[in-house]
Amino acid sequence: MDTPTLGDLRVSASRACALLRVLAHEDRLVLLCRLAEREHTVGELEQALGIVQPTLSQQLGVLRREGLVDTRRDGKYIHYRIASDDALAVMQTLHARFCAHPDGEKR
């Protein structure tokens, strides 16, 4: 395996920083955490997370623009799911580290 060049590392670091900037918002992080489980409709997300509709729509829009989530329409319902493998991998790691032991219990 070839050692990445400094240029390659900088490109990768830039991509990682862009992802982390999007994740560094509590509502977006909670949304992605729920979507890491399975796809959900806007109504399901609103009810489960207690995020009011205007805020929910705004944050889902950010996640869509950044390419982290995708949608599919089923009649009048829009289902959201994680579209980014990188985002899903990060969310799975965060879930294992923080959500599996929400009381802060050390392992």
Side-chain angles (χ1 to χ4, degrees):
M1 179 176 212
D2 293 334
T3 303
T5 67
L6 178 57
D8 294 336
L9 290 174
R10 292 220 174 261
V11 168
S12 295
S14 178
R15 287 181 48 228
C17 285
L19 175 60
L20 292 172
R21 272 191 294 277
V22 175
L23 295 180
H25 185 282
E26 191 173 328
D27 286 337
R28 290 193 294 262
L29 196 57
V30 169
L31 283 166
L32 287 170
C33 187
R34 185 51 57 111
L35 292 172
E37 298 168 352
R38 65 176 177 84
E39 72 176 19
H40 289 277
T41 65
V42 173
E44 290 170 338
L45 292 168
E46 184 178 17
Q47 184 176 22
L49 304 176
I51 301 172
V52 295
Q53 213 283 324
T55 302
L56 182 62
S57 292
Q58 180 183 20
Q59 299 311 324
L60 286 169
V62 170
L63 294 171
R64 264 187 98 172
R65 279 192 305 280
E66 296 297 324
L68 301 188
V69 299
D70 199 5
T71 61
R72 77 174 174 84
R73 182 174 285 279
D74 182 18
K76 66 178 184 170
Y77 297 101
I78 297 176
H79 298 261
Y80 281 83
R81 65 183 172 275
I82 293 183
S84 163
D85 290 340
D86 291 335
L88 182 58
V90 169
M91 293 311 302
Q92 289 170 334
T93 299
L94 289 174
H95 186 275
R97 299 291 301 169
F98 293 96
C99 300
H101 301 280
D103 59 359
E105 173 186 320
K106 297 261 184 195
R107 285 174 253 149

